[in-house]
Amino acid sequence: MSALHHPAPRRVADCYSIADLRALARRRLPRAVFDFYAGGAEDESTLRGNRAAFAALRFAPHVLVDVARVSSACELLGAPAGMPAAIAPTGAAGFGRRDADLALAKAAADYGIPYTLSSSATTAIETIAREAPGRHWFQAYVLNNQEFFWKLLERALAADYEALVITVDLPVGGKRERDFHNHFSIPFRFSTRNVLDFASRPRWALDMAMHGLPVMENLRGFEVAARSAVAIASSVGRSYDPGFDFQRLAQVRERWPRKLIVKGVCRGDDAARLAALGVDAIVVSNHGGRQLDGAVATLVALPEVLQAVAGRVPVLVDGGIRRGGDIAKALALGAHGVLLGRATLFGAVAAGEPGARRALEILQDELQRTQKLCGATLVGRFTSELLRSARGLPAPFTDPVQANSQGDLYHHLMETSYENQTV
């Protein structure tokens, strides 16, 4: 978030950063709903740690480079992309704004990047394919009802989704204490606290009163599926199959004929097994700090994963990305791209499609400015030699794949205190 203090914006046109879009979303949403999106598990140390890892790195820019023209375009998982990013799956977005899933998908298409639809979205697989043409990935939680799980994959394949994203870091739901304090629970119960909270945001409340709570469209017919978006607070963890393992993932690999992406990896040994199994990409992720508190920051985990896969599969990273410069740092450490979660979600729930588009506009503009200021005309020219530790020590390696073995910058990140970072 920006260190500058200014009044919270009242319209998208007044938003100049992701922090501004976050503030606009906070102004519009009831506290319980905003906290559900913005919060993390337990003490939220993982949530803060993701941001702190980016803050622990600084640029050492090249100068006297012709940067009259730069491009953020790249290839991402075998197809052109407007920038090295994809929209991450964000469940229950429709509870913040009814059209949020479509808004995100349409904005992604406008910027030429993939959009990932969550299995717990409030918009159906087929609706996204029909109304928001573009590059579509489908994220599937591994449900304990295996027949229902396979039917979801069949629907995504029939709707021509180019990739399947399997989330593997959720054998049980995280303990998100903000939800408890806000009485955001399942089964949903009205209390004086949350009724007053909802009433404090009359435009949001009127829409929900007139049209009803959104439905988890892709989970219709699932025996423990949520009847409304509120239920996402606990239903996903209950419905996940805790017995899902590498052998079961191999079955998914056999039955899914297109690109298979595994999301939720923070260890090199797990990444190496996934590469050997034949997945098409790995996403270094700790679920945005929403599940295991105290998990390693994703930017810290990235070098170890890169070293383990040794170039066999592309590696993406998510968690804590709020600036275009953050994307550049991830690329410089060796990531092939990033997934954008809260950054674009804040825009979508604040102002629908214009807000989602504004989030991507901000990030792309900042990324291209960083390119010019660092002397990197193409995003592929962000390398580790452009990075330094915030402690003033140079990065001692030039090959990001060797980052963990050579180690110094990795350990500087590990040693950085996370406790005073904002999210």
Side-chain angles (χ1 to χ4, degrees), residues 25 69 88 93 110 138-139 157 164-165 184 194 232-233 266 380 420:
R69 298 180 64 181
D110 287 346
F138 178 66
Q139 176 267 338
L157 186 61
L164 173 67
V165 180
F184 197 82
N194 60 40
I232 191 63
C266 285
N420 295 321

Side-chain angles (χ1 to χ4, degrees), residues 46-273:
T46 303
L47 186 66
R48 294 190 300 276
N50 282 342
R51 285 296 304 135
F54 284 101
L57 290 176
R58 296 287 189 270
F59 293 110
H62 285 293
V63 295
L64 296 175
V65 177
D66 182 356
V67 290
R69 298 180 64 181
V70 301
S71 174
S72 61
C74 65
E75 183 180 280
L76 191 64
L77 269 65
M83 58 178 166
I87 302 293
T90 46
F95 194 58
R97 182 177 288 270
R98 196 169 300 276
D99 61 352
D101 297 316
L102 272 173
L104 288 164
K106 290 179 178 179
D110 287 346
Y111 278 80
I113 66 173
Y115 164 73
T116 312
L117 179 70
S118 171
S119 54
S120 56
T122 55
T123 303
I125 294 169
E126 296 79 6
T127 302
I128 293 292
R130 182 178 62 252
E131 299 187 19
R135 295 183 64 185
H136 299 147
W137 300 350
F138 178 66
Q139 176 267 338
Y141 288 117
V142 185
L143 305 173
N144 50 30
N145 182 329
Q146 294 187 39
E147 181 181 0
F148 194 94
F149 169 76
W150 291 117
K151 286 181 179 178
L152 284 177
L153 271 56
E154 291 171 3
R155 288 173 59 189
L157 186 61
D160 203 28
Y161 280 60
E162 72 172 56
L164 173 67
V165 180
I166 297 292
T167 297
V168 294
D169 61 355
L170 187 64
V172 63
K175 184 187 177 190
R176 297 195 285 273
E177 295 171 12
R178 293 200 204 194
D179 295 343
F180 301 154
H181 289 297
N182 291 329
H183 295 180
F184 197 82
S185 62
I186 301 301
F188 188 71
R189 54 190 172 89
F190 288 96
S191 67
T192 301
R193 176 179 298 173
N194 60 40
V195 166
L196 291 174
D197 179 27
F198 292 170
S200 71
R201 299 295 187 269
R203 290 186 179 180
W204 177 91
L206 181 61
D207 176 67
M208 295 298 161
M210 290 179 62
H211 300 101
L213 296 175
V215 173
M216 300 294 184
E217 295 289 350
N218 298 312
L219 298 182
R220 286 182 181 272
F222 186 51
E223 66 268 22
V224 295
R227 294 184 178 179
S228 72
V230 182
I232 191 63
S234 64
S235 65
V236 169
R238 284 203 313 268
S239 305
Y240 198 96
D241 184 356
F244 189 78
D245 57 12
F246 276 93
Q247 183 177 358
R248 296 272 298 282
L249 181 64
Q251 295 174 1
V252 175
R253 174 68 287 180
E254 291 174 5
R255 293 180 62 169
W256 176 260
R258 297 185 175 178
K259 292 189 182 299
L260 177 62
I261 304 167
V262 175
K263 176 179 177 289
V265 179
C266 285
R267 293 179 57 93
D269 50 2
D270 287 342
R273 290 188 67 184

Side-chain angles (χ1 to χ4, degrees), residues 343-360:
T344 45
L345 179 63
F346 288 143
V349 298
E353 190 177 341
R357 192 179 298 111
R358 180 61 174 153
L360 291 176

